[in-house]
Amino acid sequence: MNSLSFNERMSGWVSFDEPSYNQAMVAGRRRGTTCTQQLTIEIDDVDRFIADSSHLGRAKGFVWCDELGGELRAERGWFNLFVVAGASSHRRMLYRLFLRDGDGRALTLSGFKDVEHGPNLDGWGDTSRLLVRILSGHHEDEPEGDEATVATGILHIGKLGFARMLASMRGTAGPRGIGSVAEFDRYFVSQLVELFGHR
């Protein structure tokens, strides 16, 4: 199998009072309520990952938030790349991590990047901005309403962080490893070209 892994670090601000993503980011920045997500994404078989419409990979690592007790290690996590969300011109990158806070309480980080062909046509902004909710309990599916929401916010990856992510890509040892990285890169770029190619 042609496996692949890479590291991704995203940081931003969250609020425990604001349900709106943008308002939560503003409130969190004002109060200095930071949140960082440090993950390793693992894909066992790049061919199968691309062929499967869920484009599913494992996510390992941790979330750091002082207000929740510091480092929250992911007990389980997964990542979906460019999942069609309604219209074919609308894709999402999905993140879900099962965590525990400093007191051992179960939490879920549910995040998504909205990548959409629209009037703003901001491919970089769409792929570098992660909208997150931290939920009480472990939820495989998104709960309705805001009752389970503990915190809301937006995390970002900068251009230097994106370069580091690309540099961290590792495939299976040998020529197949180089091929798996190239194959993943081709798929990633092809999706962006499909959505934003005329720009």
Side-chain angles (χ1 to χ4, degrees), residues 129-174:
R129 180 178 58 245
L130 180 68
L131 287 70
V132 299
R133 286 205 301 164
I134 297 175
L135 309 168
S136 60
H138 286 164
H139 302 270
E140 294 204 5
D141 299 310
E142 202 68 13
E144 294 184 5
D146 295 321
E147 293 180 3
T149 302
V150 175
T152 308
I154 300 179
L155 311 183
H156 291 89
I157 184 170
K159 292 181 180 179
L160 179 58
F162 188 75
R164 288 173 176 162
M165 183 190 75
L166 293 177
S168 74
M169 286 190 174
R170 297 290 183 271
T172 309

Side-chain angles (χ1 to χ4, degrees), residues 59-101:
K60 297 181 177 181
F62 64 88
V63 171
W64 185 281
C65 182
D66 288 338
E67 285 71 17
L68 293 174
E71 181 179 309
L72 288 69
R73 182 65 54 176
E75 297 180 352
R76 180 184 168 204
W78 58 97
F79 161 81
N80 304 84
L81 179 67
F82 291 129
V83 177
V84 175
S88 61
S89 60
H90 186 193
R91 313 290 169 82
R92 280 190 168 179
M93 302 183 195
L94 306 175
Y95 295 71
R96 190 166 295 267
L97 306 173
F98 285 178
L99 311 165
R100 290 195 184 272
D101 69 8

Side-chain angles (χ1 to χ4, degrees), residues 5-188:
S5 68
F6 60 88
N7 302 323
E8 183 184 51
R9 180 183 178 91
M10 303 191 74
S11 296
W13 295 273
V14 297
S15 170
F16 294 84
D17 304 312
E18 294 284 353
S20 163
Y21 293 106
N22 288 325
Q23 292 177 11
M25 181 188 69
V26 172
R29 179 185 290 169
R30 186 170 58 245
R31 297 174 185 173
T33 311
T34 60
C35 182
T36 296
Q37 173 180 283
Q38 175 73 52
L39 298 179
T40 297
I41 305 297
E42 297 179 341
I43 298 168
D44 290 331
D45 187 325
V46 174
D47 292 330
R48 186 171 60 194
F49 176 86
I50 293 173
D52 186 347
S53 61
S54 68
H55 309 301
L56 176 65
R58 286 190 307 277
K60 297 181 177 181
F62 64 88
V63 171
W64 185 281
C65 182
D66 288 338
E67 285 71 17
L68 293 174
E71 181 179 309
L72 288 69
R73 182 65 54 176
E75 297 180 352
R76 180 184 168 204
W78 58 97
F79 161 81
N80 304 84
L81 179 67
F82 291 129
V83 177
V84 175
S88 61
S89 60
H90 186 193
R91 313 290 169 82
R92 280 190 168 179
M93 302 183 195
L94 306 175
Y95 295 71
R96 190 166 295 267
L97 306 173
F98 285 178
L99 311 165
R100 290 195 184 272
D101 69 8
D103 296 322
R105 293 175 296 186
L107 297 171
T108 298
L109 182 141
S110 172
F112 65 93
K113 297 178 182 178
D114 235 353
V115 187
E116 186 171 13
H117 175 96
N120 293 327
L121 291 174
D122 183 8
W124 168 250
D126 287 356
T127 56
S128 64
R129 180 178 58 245
L130 180 68
L131 287 70
V132 299
R133 286 205 301 164
I134 297 175
L135 309 168
S136 60
H138 286 164
H139 302 270
E140 294 204 5
D141 299 310
E142 202 68 13
E144 294 184 5
D146 295 321
E147 293 180 3
T149 302
V150 175
T152 308
I154 300 179
L155 311 183
H156 291 89
I157 184 170
K159 292 181 180 179
L160 179 58
F162 188 75
R164 288 173 176 162
M165 183 190 75
L166 293 177
S168 74
M169 286 190 174
R170 297 290 183 271
T172 309
R176 292 191 67 189
I178 298 173
S180 65
V181 173
E183 188 175 359
F184 180 86
D185 287 348
R186 280 195 298 270
Y187 173 71
F188 191 93

